[in-house]
Amino acid sequence: MTLQRYSRAHVRLPHAPPFDRLTTALSDRYRLVRELGAAGMATVCLAADLKHDRQVAIKVVKPKLVAVLGADRFVVEIKTTAAVQHPHILPLFDSGTADGVLYFVIPFIERETLRAMLNREAQRGVEEAVRITTQLADALDYAHRHGVIHRDVKPENLPMRDGRPLVADFGIALAVSAAAGGRMTETGLSLGTPHDMSPEQATADVAVAVFGI
């Protein structure tokens, strides 16, 4: 998909200071197109990678979170996830700060999540269910052996590409956990989705991810 479709007339972003600053600061590398969604820790935007002529997703960390944790520490921790390379883990393309706005860049996957697939076809074959579960377990085992614990494994965080699951959202959860230390209460956020949390959620134990599977 070429970048011609991303003319400035088609850009649809919130008129808010973080997005205005980010758009200007990254104008030579990315063209922000539109907001894809927002969660407790970040807002996700569709963007055009000008150098590589591809679509990417840029996650913009909430300013309140950056203020509590500190941008420098956050960037250091984000780099840890860049070393986690596995066929079933969504990779990290880029990260940094731009005019005081903290961001990181991941592939844009324009496909359904495991949750959407299950909602569409509730009953899957045993062989397919075992295959998907095995692939997820292999990805999480690889991450655990590299010291990375995913605290929010759930179908909504598992995009499907060509029938293969991808574990997403390692980056921000890990960075927040490591950078915050014992100060998570100051952010007003929790790591994980309450409905899907394991009893070991607060300990960063591998059982958290096992429970998610």
Side-chain angles (χ1 to χ4, degrees), residues 29-206:
R29 298 160 58 192
Y30 302 103
R31 181 175 301 156
L32 276 68
V33 179
R34 61 183 171 86
E35 181 179 337
L36 295 173
M41 299 183 191
T43 299
V44 187
C45 298
L46 174 66
D49 182 339
L50 302 179
K51 180 178 179 179
H52 300 100
D53 192 17
R54 63 185 176 184
Q55 291 178 309
V56 296
I58 297 183
K59 289 202 169 188
V60 183
V61 182
K62 297 292 182 67
K64 178 183 177 181
L65 191 59
V66 178
V68 173
L69 303 182
D72 292 341
R73 178 68 188 278
F74 202 103
V75 169
V76 168
E77 299 299 340
I78 277 286
K79 289 181 180 178
T80 302
T81 64
V84 179
Q85 301 290 325
H86 187 277
H88 295 287
I89 294 178
L90 201 65
L92 177 70
F93 281 163
D94 192 11
S95 65
T97 56
D99 195 15
V101 180
L102 188 63
Y103 71 94
F104 58 101
V105 184
I106 58 176
F108 172 65
I109 306 295
E110 195 173 13
R111 288 165 177 80
E112 66 181 357
T113 63
L114 180 58
R115 169 62 69 198
M117 187 185 78
L118 293 174
N119 288 341
R120 178 170 49 82
E121 301 178 50
Q123 294 187 355
R124 314 293 297 186
V126 174
E127 290 186 3
E128 183 178 9
V130 170
R131 175 184 61 81
I132 291 174
T133 303
T134 301
Q135 291 170 341
L136 292 176
D138 186 60
L140 293 170
D141 175 66
Y142 173 86
H144 296 165
R145 286 186 281 110
H146 287 75
V148 179
I149 306 297
H150 197 301
R151 291 172 176 255
D152 198 16
V153 178
K154 59 182 180 180
E156 290 81 358
N157 283 343
L158 302 172
M160 302 294 292
R161 182 167 60 189
D162 299 327
R164 300 183 298 111
L166 293 169
V167 183
D169 287 345
F170 261 114
I172 190 167
L174 172 68
V176 169
S177 177
R183 296 182 297 138
M184 273 305 296
T185 55
E186 297 179 42
T187 69
L189 300 170
S190 62
L191 294 177
T193 304
H195 179 73
D196 301 304
M197 283 183 180
S198 73
E200 298 86 2
Q201 188 73 20
T203 66
D205 188 271
V206 295

Side-chain angles (χ1 to χ4, degrees), residues 5-23:
R5 65 172 293 187
Y6 300 125
S7 66
R8 296 190 182 279
H10 292 91
V11 172
R12 300 190 302 278
L13 287 171
H15 292 292
F19 295 97
D20 294 340
R21 299 203 308 272
L22 191 66
T23 298

